[in-house]
Amino acid sequence: MHLALFLIFAIFCLGGAINLLLQTHPINSALSLIVVMSSLAVLYLLLGAEFLAIAQIIVYAGAVMVLFTFVVMLLNVGEEEKTHGSKIAKAVGFPAVAVILGVIATIILQAQKQLGHVSLSDGITTTQELSRVLFHDLLLPFELTSVLILVAILGAVALARKEGHS
């Protein structure tokens, strides 16, 4: 059952990522990115990382994508021009991607042979321990990230504002 769910949501994730690249309108790309983020959350659930799955939905598929959608709508991005790309990029790009994927697969297979059987340790981190680290030990970087996101949104609003308006 886990393998079937993994394959289904991995296909959703890859399909959403490909659709994200092929869309011409930014809002449709944002919706495809939500599909990718939601599929990743299900994959996290299958791995037993419930906290990460919920954080993926709340933070990425929820807050960040809503902010991204508002910024795209605020900037009033028009229809993009379709280009067919260069022939050299297509001739070199596809074989290069195949070679890179082959190298990554070879590295993973070699590492798997060297590591042998991998199992979970006895001390599985609980959500309580994870929240203590996030909100106690790493509180400053956590809050600085939220301030950085706020500054980025304010910068987008300032850039999008028309010069004639005050």
Side-chain angles (χ1 to χ4, degrees):
M1 183 66 178
H2 283 286
L3 180 61
L5 284 174
F6 174 80
L7 290 175
I8 289 169
F9 284 99
I11 289 170
F12 278 160
C13 189
L14 289 174
I18 291 169
N19 191 35
L20 171 89
L21 297 174
L22 296 178
Q23 289 296 324
T24 57
H25 199 272
I27 297 296
N28 294 338
S29 294
L31 292 174
S32 295
L33 194 55
I34 290 174
V35 169
V36 171
M37 296 298 172
S38 301
S39 299
L40 285 175
V42 173
L43 294 178
Y44 286 143
L45 273 178
L46 291 174
L47 289 173
E50 294 85 8
F51 179 78
L52 223 64
I54 295 302
Q56 180 81 14
I57 293 291
I58 292 172
V59 174
Y60 289 110
V64 172
M65 290 312 302
V66 166
L67 290 175
F68 177 76
T69 305
F70 282 144
V71 168
V72 167
M73 291 170 65
L74 180 68
L75 294 176
N76 198 13
V77 177
E79 191 71 25
E80 295 179 8
E81 289 184 31
K82 265 204 154 173
T83 61
H84 297 291
S86 71
K87 292 179 183 178
I88 295 173
K90 288 182 183 177
V92 174
F94 289 121
V97 168
V99 168
I100 289 171
L101 290 177
V103 169
I104 291 172
T106 305
I107 290 171
I108 290 173
L109 290 175
Q110 291 298 325
Q112 196 174 30
K113 287 179 186 175
Q114 291 175 358
L115 293 176
H117 180 70
V118 178
S119 62
L120 292 175
S121 63
D122 292 333
I124 296 175
T125 304
T126 63
T127 306
Q128 183 179 8
E129 294 170 357
L130 185 60
S131 63
R132 183 189 56 76
V133 169
L134 270 179
F135 298 120
H136 185 265
D137 299 341
L138 299 174
L139 183 63
L140 181 63
F142 191 77
E143 291 299 323
L144 285 177
T145 303
S146 64
V147 170
L148 182 66
I149 291 172
L150 179 65
V151 168
I153 293 169
L154 292 175
V157 169
L159 289 174
R161 189 176 58 164
K162 306 243 188 291
E163 293 197 23
H165 296 53
S166 301

